[in-house]
């Protein structure tokens, strides 16, 4: 899997050794005078694939590079290295114009519906915007009926009530529904959802998740579901990839990963999710607390080793590769 | 821009005393400009009295060297001074907005080149340059407009570029890009509507500057001698030694005060508006 040549085209999405390094942009003077600011390796060589109609959960703690990965997949930021193949097309070599038809087929629901909707536009023009951009409807009448149709589908009903509202006249849940409508009105084949419920009130989360799940089945959508919540990933996805500090440390089918976790980080996550009191009792043997900024680790060591409770000679000297430990189950740890 | 945003801007603006004063001054000037023909007692281009008359009930501010009514000149002068200032500022603002939006959104080499041009315009000592340009092009309304716009566009361009830079990273602009919107679509639907209020504030501030510069140039005899702006009135007053005789009181002071009032009106309004639409400038909050 970590071999870039092993690409097969039956995958809808193939991400190969993708990297994003954020250079801290600074002027000549600051660059000359401060040497301590290192580039941030936000995504550091990740490889995964998603089949048509399949849901992959990407989980990891805050700052591990989840949003960066999503933005890279849509080419909203440019990768430092690596390849993104979508339906056999290499997105990394495309320019903005070539990307437009692709962006119709890949859509994203952003984390913060308070930010992702233009505050100056009405619901109907927000949902109609993608249709206008891609010239998908013939005339106003056609567009309006399409907008009403998708609004009913995502549950902004009665539609007349919401059509002329501005985002600030909607609740968080309704905003996220509008954002989902914007994404799905183009009938994409691949949906990226970046923590779509994390900014929402707990009471409306289930509604949004069920909506997404229902739409996935209905539209046979492949999806990348980003979350920091293992329980959510388990509910939403068939496969799960665990991201730690810009690296995928373990990936596998949902049940296999949850019942037979191998990487110490995955184990700790599962322990937290299943029983908090149990986790606290056994915390010492699961994970080491760490104050230092883990972004600053040197290259060529296991990213997890400062927090890893297990000793192993190679962890500080060599970066572990993903190795297959079972069917579709891959782990990056020297102990395996 | 949505009505809700407009209403919000108005609400914040009304709470700014400086802005209210500024707008009142501008309204007064707007009234005078529009109804100049009705308000002014005489035609400013007609000889209606003896030369160098002192203020009296028939000529409230006296007459000039060829017997034209000074009060009427000043009332009509508002049209020319404010009109020219506004036209020049509008042209400059349009250039500034386009440059700012393009530089901010395109980034990279385009941004660098445009911003270098802005820097050059900003560091050139502008009074000598303007005198030179005005002298070269010759005195006329449109030459003056041209000279003024060439000088003024740079500052708004820089302000608007900064706004676009932060706007570009906003969630809804990124979302529009992810949807597959073309650059033109994003600029016209998401970027330009959002910078327009700031452009308006910059336009008003620029008008202040153009009015002041027009007055200076005209006073130096580099303006259009045929259309009588406040600066031109001052030029003739100076040429006829009004500074040395008692006539400065009614020939020089009133246009001077009018220019100051107009400049203050535009400055107050502009700053208040800028503060309202650009929350980063709002000190307390
Ligand atoms: N534009 C940027 N410039 C510099 N560094 C960045 C930039 N965007 C993200 N980063 C850094 O990259 C790392 C990964 O960020 P990212 O937003 O992908 O995390 P995340 O997993 O989505 O976190 P969260 O769960 O908090 O959303 C972070 O350390 C972040 O500070
Ligand atoms: Mg994120």
């Amino acid at each position: 899997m970590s071999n870039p040549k092993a690409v097969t085209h039956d995958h809808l999405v193939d991400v190969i050794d993708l990297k994003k390094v954020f250079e801290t942009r600074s002027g000549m003077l600051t660059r000359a005078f401060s040497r301590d600011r290192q580039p941030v390796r936000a995504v550091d060589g990740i490889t995964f694939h998603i089949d048509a109609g399949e849901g992959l959960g990407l989980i990891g703690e805050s700052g591990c590079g989840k949003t960066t990965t999503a933005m890279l997949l849509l080419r909203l930021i440019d990768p430092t290295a690596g390849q993104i193949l979508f339906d056999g097309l290499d997105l990394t070599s495309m320019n903005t114009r070539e990307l437009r038809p692709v962006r119709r087929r890949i859509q994203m629901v952003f984390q913060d519906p308070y930010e992702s909707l233009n505050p100056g536009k009405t619901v109907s023009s927000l949902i109609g915007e993608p249709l206008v951009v891609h010239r998908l409807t013939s005339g106003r009448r056609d567009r309006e009926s399409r907008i009403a149709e998708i609004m009913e589908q995502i549950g902004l009903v009665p539609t007349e009530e919401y059509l002329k509202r501005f985002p600030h006249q909607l609740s968080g849940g309704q905003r996220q529904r509008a954002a989902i409508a914007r994404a799905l009105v183009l009938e994409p084949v691949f949906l990226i959802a970046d923590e779509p419920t994390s900014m929402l009130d707990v009471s409306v989360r289930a509604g949004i998740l069920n909506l997404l799940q229902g739409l996935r089945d209905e539209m046979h959508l492949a999806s990348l579901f980003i979350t920091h919540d293992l329980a959510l990933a388990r509910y939403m996805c068939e496969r799960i990839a665990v991201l730690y500090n810009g690296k995928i440390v373990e990936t596998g089918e949902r049940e296999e990963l949850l019942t037979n976790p191998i990487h110490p980080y995955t184990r700790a996550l599962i322990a937290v999710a299943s029983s908090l009191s149990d986790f606290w009792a056994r915390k010492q043997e699961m994970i080491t607390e760490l104050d230092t900024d883990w972004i600053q680790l040197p290259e060529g060591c296991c990213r997890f080793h400062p927090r890893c409770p297990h000793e192993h000679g190679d962890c500080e000297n060599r970066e572990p590769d993903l190795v297959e430990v079972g069917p579709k189950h891959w782990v990056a740890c020297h102990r395996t | 821009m949505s009505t809700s945003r407009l209403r919000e801007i108005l609400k914040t603006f009304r709470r700014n005393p400086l802005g209210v004063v500024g707008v009142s001054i501008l309204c007064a000037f707007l009234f005078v400009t529009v109804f100049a023909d009705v308000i002014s007692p005489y035609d400013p281009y007609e000889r209606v009295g003896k030369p160098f008359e002192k203020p009296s009930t028939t000529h409230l501010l006296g007459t000039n060297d060829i017997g034209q009514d000074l009060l009427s000149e000043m009332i009509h002068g508002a049209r020319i001074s404010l009109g020219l200032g506004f036209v020049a500022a509008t042209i400059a603002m349009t250039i500034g907005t386009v440059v700012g939006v393009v530089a901010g959104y395109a980034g990279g080499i385009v941004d660098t080149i445009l911003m270098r041009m802005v820097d050059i315009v900003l560091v050139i000592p502008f009074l000598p340059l303007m005198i030179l340009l005005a002298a070269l092009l010759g005195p006329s309304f449109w030459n003056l407009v041209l000279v003024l716009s060439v000088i003024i566009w740079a500052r708004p361009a820089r302000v608007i570029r900064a706004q676009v830079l932060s706007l570009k990273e906003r969630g809804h602009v990124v979302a529009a890009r992810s949807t597959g919107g073309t650059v033109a679509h994003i600029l016209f639907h998401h970027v330009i509507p959002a910078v327009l209020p700031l452009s308006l504030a910059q336009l008003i501030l620029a008008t202040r500057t153009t009015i002041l510069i027009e007055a200076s140039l005209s006073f130096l005899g580099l303006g259009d001698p045929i259309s009588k702006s406040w600066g031109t009135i001052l030029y003739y007053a100076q040429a006829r030694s009004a500074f040395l005789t008692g006539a400065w009181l009614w020939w020089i002071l009133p246009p001077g005060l009018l220019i100051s009032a107009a400049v203050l009106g535009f400055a107050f309004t502009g700053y208040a508006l800028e503060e309202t639409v650009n929350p980063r400038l709002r000190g307390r909050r």
Side-chain angles (χ1 to χ4, degrees):
Chain A
M1 188 161 173
S2 48
N3 174 10
K5 305 221 162 50
V7 175
T8 50
H9 286 284
D10 16 304
H11 301 317
L12 180 69
V13 182
D14 254 307
V15 171
I16 304 152
D17 206 20
L18 192 64
K19 287 187 183 165
K20 178 67 190 179
V21 180
F22 287 110
E23 304 288 348
T24 37
R25 252 181 296 158
S26 53
M28 257 185 338
L29 273 183
T30 19
R31 222 178 297 154
F33 287 111
S34 73
R35 303 215 165 267
D36 51 323
R37 294 209 68 177
Q38 285 179 4
V40 177
R41 285 180 282 145
V43 171
D44 201 12
I46 61 175
T47 301
F48 62 85
H49 67 87
I50 301 173
D51 289 325
E54 188 190 32
L56 175 70
L58 190 62
I59 74 165
E61 64 196 85
S62 185
C64 69
K66 305 185 294 293
T67 301
T68 307
T69 306
M71 303 275 271
L72 284 170
L73 286 185
L74 274 167
R75 279 288 310 275
L76 290 171
I77 50 179
D78 291 328
T80 311
Q83 261 188 319
I84 304 159
L85 299 181
F86 173 73
D87 208 6
L89 302 165
D90 182 1
L91 303 194
T92 35
S93 65
M94 286 184 168
N95 63 29
T96 318
R97 182 173 317 192
E98 291 165 332
L99 278 169
R100 286 193 63 212
V102 178
R103 281 182 175 158
R104 194 191 136 186
R105 302 169 64 209
I106 310 180
Q107 285 291 306
M108 175 154 171
V109 175
F110 291 83
Q111 185 167 7
D112 187 351
Y114 294 85
E115 260 287 308
S116 65
L117 300 175
N118 188 333
K121 299 213 183 281
T122 59
V123 168
S124 85
S125 66
L126 284 168
I127 299 177
E129 184 181 6
L131 296 172
V132 174
V133 160
H134 290 279
R135 301 205 181 85
L136 287 185
T137 44
S138 52
R140 197 196 175 95
R141 185 79 51 81
D142 188 15
R143 185 160 69 242
E144 276 168 2
S145 72
R146 183 76 189 96
I147 291 171
E149 195 183 311
I150 192 93
M151 280 173 74
E152 261 164 44
Q153 207 176 350
I154 52 101
L156 272 182
V157 280
T159 51
E160 320 80 64
E161 169 121 1
Y162 294 102
L163 273 172
K164 291 291 159 239
R165 288 209 195 170
F166 289 97
H168 73 266
Q169 295 163 320
L170 300 177
S171 72
Q174 289 167 341
R175 283 180 197 230
Q176 200 59 299
R177 280 174 196 267
I180 292 170
R182 259 172 74 84
L184 295 186
V185 75
L186 290 175
E187 297 175 345
V189 293
F190 178 37
L191 182 74
I192 302 173
D194 184 4
E195 306 196 41
T197 55
S198 68
M199 307 293 285
L200 302 181
D201 202 83
V202 182
S203 59
V204 298
R205 284 186 185 173
I208 297 287
L209 293 172
N210 287 330
L211 172 70
L212 279 175
Q213 204 62 324
L215 289 167
R216 267 197 58 204
D217 286 347
E218 233 170 90
M219 303 174 74
H220 194 63
L221 273 173
S223 77
L224 179 69
F225 188 86
I226 294 174
T227 175
H228 53 254
D229 186 343
L230 194 67
L232 273 192
R234 171 190 209 166
Y235 179 66
M236 299 293 291
C237 311
E238 294 86 65
R239 265 190 318 124
I240 294 175
V242 181
L243 196 62
Y244 182 82
N245 198 354
K247 279 267 179 197
I248 290 182
V249 293
E250 184 160 7
T251 166
E253 305 250 293
R254 165 174 55 192
E255 292 314 325
E256 162 74 8
L257 191 96
L258 292 174
T259 50
N260 187 18
I262 293 184
H263 198 280
Y265 182 61
T266 318
R267 285 173 176 238
L269 281 181
I270 290 170
V272 181
S274 51
S275 156
L276 203 56
S277 56
D278 191 34
F279 173 75
W280 281 116
R282 294 168 46 216
K283 188 162 184 300
Q284 286 310 316
E285 56 188 277
M286 310 219 78
I287 199 162
T288 312
E289 228 161 326
L290 197 69
D291 299 329
T292 54
D293 191 350
W294 41 270
I295 300 290
Q296 306 281 348
L297 278 178
E299 253 171 296
C301 64
C302 172
R303 293 294 185 96
F304 189 63
H305 87 262
R307 290 172 85 174
C308 188
H310 309 286
E311 297 281 330
H312 193 281
D314 260 356
C315 298
E316 286 177 47
N317 310 320
R318 203 160 55 80
E319 186 131 40
D321 282 329
L322 278 171
V323 290
E324 193 160 18
V325 291
K328 295 189 183 176
H329 189 172
W330 298 70
V331 182
C333 180
H334 287 309
R335 294 199 315 140
T336 53
Chain B
M1 195 182 11
S2 70
T3 43
S4 65
R5 169 121 165 90
L6 208 64
R7 211 172 300 139
E8 183 196 324
I9 288 176
L10 271 180
K11 219 169 91 193
T12 327
F13 189 86
R14 271 210 302 268
R15 269 191 249 117
N16 193 326
L18 215 58
V20 175
V21 172
V23 168
S24 313
I25 297 177
L26 293 192
C27 285
F29 274 116
L30 186 68
F31 180 79
V32 171
T33 312
V34 172
F35 296 106
D37 293 319
V38 187
I39 309 168
S40 74
Y42 302 98
D43 182 340
Y45 295 96
E46 287 290 320
R47 299 175 181 212
V48 290
K50 294 197 289 292
F52 298 116
E53 263 188 58
K54 291 201 165 127
S56 64
T57 44
T58 42
H59 300 289
L60 285 177
L61 289 175
T63 58
N64 67 7
D65 54 321
I66 51 172
Q68 294 164 334
D69 183 57
L70 279 175
L71 178 62
S72 306
E73 273 196 332
M74 280 163 214
I75 291 173
H76 279 268
R79 264 192 191 168
I80 297 174
S81 287
L82 302 183
L84 192 146
F86 190 72
V87 171
T90 307
I91 294 173
M93 198 55 243
T94 312
I95 301 173
T97 303
V98 170
V99 169
V101 167
V102 169
Y105 197 80
I109 182 84
V110 178
D111 184 28
T112 311
I113 292 174
L114 288 174
M115 282 305 113
R116 282 303 152 271
M117 282 167 56
V118 165
D119 289 342
I120 291 169
V121 173
L122 285 177
V123 297
I124 286 176
F126 77 92
L127 200 60
L129 174 75
M130 265 191 332
I131 293 172
L132 194 74
L133 277 176
L136 271 179
L137 294 170
S140 87
F141 183 90
W142 287 107
N143 284 351
L144 218 50
V145 166
L146 181 74
V147 171
L148 289 172
S149 355
V150 165
I151 300 299
I152 298 301
W153 66 273
R155 185 183 116 92
R158 179 177 271 188
V159 172
I160 283 166
R161 169 184 173 266
Q163 178 88 349
V164 171
L165 279 184
S166 79
L167 206 59
K168 194 163 77 165
E169 308 293 327
R170 288 279 303 279
H172 69 266
V173 177
V174 175
R177 277 208 291 142
S178 81
T179 305
T182 55
V183 173
H185 173 87
I186 290 168
L187 288 185
F188 284 108
H189 286 83
H190 297 279
V191 176
I192 294 175
V195 299
L196 273 187
L198 189 63
S199 282
L200 185 65
Q202 291 297 314
L203 168 69
I204 290 169
L205 286 176
T207 312
R208 166 201 62 167
T209 319
T210 49
I211 289 174
L212 201 57
I213 298 177
E214 186 277 333
S216 328
L217 286 180
S218 297
F219 176 68
L220 293 171
L222 294 164
D224 182 0
I226 305 162
S227 54
K228 290 186 212 170
S229 69
W230 295 330
T232 320
I233 299 177
L234 285 172
Y235 166 72
Y236 281 113
Q238 147 77 4
R240 305 296 176 258
S241 316
F243 279 110
L244 304 176
T245 66
W248 66 269
L249 196 58
W250 56 87
W251 202 350
I252 286 172
L253 197 60
L257 287 178
L258 286 173
I259 292 169
S260 313
V263 166
L264 282 182
F266 278 105
F268 287 172
T269 313
Y271 283 133
L273 193 60
E274 198 177 40
E275 225 171 85
T276 316
V277 297
N278 194 349
R280 263 182 301 169
L281 293 175
R282 230 174 286 162
R284 313 159 294 272
R285 254 192 78 165

